[in-house]
Every structure is written in structure tokens, then in C-alpha cells.
Amino acid sequence: MLPTASLQVLPNGLKLVLVPDDHVESVCFGLFVESGSRHELPEYAGISHLIEHMLFKGTKTRSALEISQAIEGRGGNFNAYTCEESTCFFAYMPYDALPTAVDIICDMYANPAIPDGEFERERHVVLEEIKMYGDEPDSVASENLSRALFPKNALGLPIAGEAATLDKMTPQTLRDYIRRAYVPRATVAVVAGRFDPAEVRRLVEQALGGLADRDPLPFVPVRARPYPQKEIRAQRDVQQVQLALGYRTFGVHAPKRKKLAATVFDCLMGRTMSSRLFQSVREKHGLSYDIRSQLQFFEDVGGWCVMAGLDTGRVDLAMKTIEKEFARIRAKKPSAAEMRRTKDYLLGNFRLGLENQRARMFFFGNSVMTYGEIRSPQEMVDGIAAVTADDVLAVANEILQDKYRSVSWVTPKAV
């Protein structure tokens, strides 16, 4: 049976999502905050990601070691991530350790210390992380594709920021930003697994119910123009050509059927080993070890991209093969058998993913962060099942428009 959830709103505007399952031994508690890289002004680029790191470095009453011991000492684990539109902190615990999870994660959110010494060390850690991405050709190609697809907008900048902006930040810069960004109305608390709903509400209200609400951070929307930059190139000490080819497209508030058709289109084209691009580029012609596609939806805009590592001597043939598949999906709707296989994969993969309490926490948390309300898994299942081949043909022609296309290359350094 697919999981169900309920939504409560605290008096200060914080949303609480409850996803019960009394047949497991685990529980996952997470806080989602509407603070990501696209909310940042240019001088603060990378601050959301740096804050994510620093919240693990201690609160006003706990050291970093005490935080780790409290979670791991109960057999649990905890982590966080930052993306373009949000940051998430979570702990995955045995169900009877839920009070510890709520206490720790809420303390990190509401009472971060941002110690000066830890700040300097962790900033250097993030700078090394940025260098690591710079040494990965697929990361360089992907980041440059974002710059090209979303020019003159924070959505096109790296989530981790850049050394030039991080070097100017101080512990006080982070404390001030947290006060502006980490506000109840911009926050969703989610608990998935085995728990007492009344107890969860009491714990969250006790920890965060006293916070005063303020307006969430704004962001600059992506305008229709400027159109994406047509091409962007970088050179690295590599032996392959790394390709990232993408299209700017619609966002999360587009009609549901169109978004689900885009999801089927993405899967059919490049998400699996049986997809068209994998079968044609790799299996039939041997032009790439790995080729895959990715679809992303943001608040006001989206992107679909194809990533591949290519033989330097056969780039032209690879591009012709990719373009042939683009032309084919635009000219003729998929067969009934291909639609069935693709939708069966999506639905099966989705259902299997929701077996995990952490995955349930992510699904419902992102649902409420994105739409302000719960979107049920059954709604997703029914929606995917209803997508037709005509829907896929239509969305392929809407996505694959040259004026919204960019190509990012990472090539070997010239000898």
C-alpha cells in the first residue's frame, strides 16, 4: 500500500507533515528550509551551502561531537543537502529515539553557534569541495550548462559558490543570513515512520513553536530573455570529451499532465539502459560508455539535459546519433509497447523507492515545499498511468526547441 500523509500548520506558520507507518522499527525526521542557491544575491553566492555545513559544527548548548554522539549513539545517522531552492537536514533513527532526532535537528536549525574556529576550517573544506568538482569533467560540464541555460540569474550559478565570494564571508555574515532565511513560514518539518502524532506535534512545537515568523527570502525569476547561451567550452587534462546538452523548459506549476508527460519523455529518452539514447549511442554504435538524461523542475522554469562522455575522434558521429534520436521522438509518437515498458519502469521504481522511510520523508517534504500542500503518491501513479503517446510527442516538441538549447563541452587541453 502506498503511504499517506497529513499536514498540520503551527500558529507561527511552520508546516508539519506526518507520514505514519506502525509496521516498521524506524523513523526519519527532517526539516526543509526554503533557502537555496537561487535565493542568494551575488555577494552571498554559496552561503546556503556553507550554512548547511556549519550547522553540524555545534549549537549554543552542544558541540559538534555531542551532536554526532547523540545521533550515532542511538544507532542512527544524519545528513543534509543544499540545492537550488531549498536546504534539508534530517536524522534517520530507531523509532524510540525520535525525541532525540527532533531535539537535535531543531537545535541545529534554531540555535547554530557558527564558532569562529570551526568556520575557518569548514570554509576551507568547502573550498576543497569546489576544487574537487573542478577536477571532475562531468561536474564542470554540468555547471557550465546551468550557466548557459540560465544566464544572468542565480539559478545558473554553482550551488557551492566560488572562492571569491566565500573568502569575503564571516561567521557573522552566516548568523545574519540564518536569521533572515530560517523562518517558520519557509520551513517544513516531516516525520515518516513509526511515531505518535500527538507526541511529534508536542516536540516540534516545543522546539520551534516560539519562533517569530517573517517573510521568506525572495528570488529573481528567470525571464524568457535572454535566451540560453548557445555553447560554452572548457578545457581540462582529460582523455574524453564530456558533453552536457540541455534545454530550458517549464517549471513545477505547469499543468500536471504536461509535467508527467515530460517525466515519461525523459525516462524513454535517457534514464535507463533500455532508453533510446543508451541503446543507440552506446549499444548500437559504441560511442560512449555512459549516456543519460535528467529532468529538473524549479519554481518558475525547468531544464532537461543529456550527459555523455565521448571519444575525441567520434564526437561528430555521436552528435549526429543524438540528433537523430531527437528528430525521431519529435516526428513520431512512441509505440504502445514502448510506452508500457517506460511507464512500468517509472511506476515500479517509484513504488520501490517509497519502501524507505527516508525516501518517504523526502517525497512528502518536497511536495509541501513545492506546492504548499500534500501531493499523494497515488496521484503520481495515476497521473503517470494516464500519460499517452500523444502527450509524449507533444511535450517532446515543446522541450526540444533550438532557441532554448545550450551545449556545454569539456575537451582535452590542446597539445
Side-chain angles (χ1 to χ4, degrees), residues 136-187:
E136 298 173 348
D138 56 341
S139 295
V140 174
S142 180
E143 286 190 353
N144 283 346
L145 178 64
S146 293
R147 296 178 193 274
L149 284 176
F150 309 111
K152 300 182 180 181
N153 191 279
L155 193 57
L157 299 179
I159 292 170
E162 297 175 336
T165 55
L166 295 176
D167 283 342
K168 296 177 183 178
M169 295 180 194
T170 68
Q172 192 58 44
T173 308
L174 268 65
R175 295 185 194 110
D176 292 342
Y177 198 88
I178 289 169
R179 277 194 289 271
R180 291 177 51 223
Y182 283 52
V183 299
R185 204 184 330 158
T187 304

Side-chain angles (χ1 to χ4, degrees), residues 104-123:
I104 295 292
I105 298 298
C106 290
D107 194 28
M108 291 166 57
Y109 168 99
N111 304 298
I114 319 292
D116 291 2
E118 292 282 3
F119 172 81
E120 290 302 328
R121 281 190 290 272
E122 201 60 26
R123 177 165 58 182

Side-chain angles (χ1 to χ4, degrees), residues 294-366:
Q294 181 183 33
L295 178 67
Q296 286 183 287
F297 294 124
F298 303 112
E299 177 73 14
D300 55 333
V301 73
W304 183 72
C305 73
V306 174
M307 305 282 293
L310 305 173
D311 181 341
T312 57
R314 298 199 290 173
V315 171
D316 289 344
L317 178 56
M319 288 300 296
K320 288 178 181 177
T321 305
I322 292 169
E323 298 288 4
K324 183 178 179 180
E325 291 302 330
F326 288 177
R328 186 160 74 98
I329 191 64
R330 293 187 65 182
K332 184 178 180 181
K333 64 185 180 181
S335 69
E338 188 175 27
M339 286 293 295
R340 183 177 63 254
R341 287 194 305 270
T342 303
K343 292 197 289 184
D344 283 350
Y345 170 82
L346 282 170
L347 295 175
N349 188 256
F350 177 66
R351 289 164 55 208
L352 288 173
L354 289 178
E355 290 286 293
N356 182 283
Q357 301 304 321
R358 183 163 45 194
R360 295 181 180 193
M361 187 272 296
F362 288 141
F363 175 83
F364 287 104
N366 284 314

Side-chain angles (χ1 to χ4, degrees), residues 76-94:
N77 59 76
F78 65 138
N79 211 330
Y81 69 80
T82 304
C83 61
E84 290 85 353
E85 295 185 334
S86 65
T87 303
C88 175
F89 305 87
F90 62 92
Y92 197 29
M93 307 284 284

Side-chain angles (χ1 to χ4, degrees), residues 231-286:
E231 186 177 72
I232 187 167
R233 289 180 175 268
Q235 289 189 330
R236 292 291 188 274
D237 187 12
V238 294
Q239 298 182 57
Q240 275 188 318
V241 171
Q242 187 68 39
L243 166 71
L245 186 162
Y247 294 82
R248 187 200 298 173
T249 184
F250 42 84
V252 296
H253 297 293
K256 182 177 69 173
R257 192 178 185 97
K258 182 162 72 171
K259 286 186 302 175
L260 293 175
T263 301
V264 175
F265 159 80
D266 170 52
C267 185
L268 182 152
M269 289 297 290
R271 193 183 298 186
T272 69
M273 292 175 63
S274 56
S275 65
R276 290 188 178 188
L277 287 169
F278 193 94
Q279 285 295 309
S280 180
V281 175
R282 172 175 164 153
E283 297 297 276
K284 183 176 180 180
H285 296 286

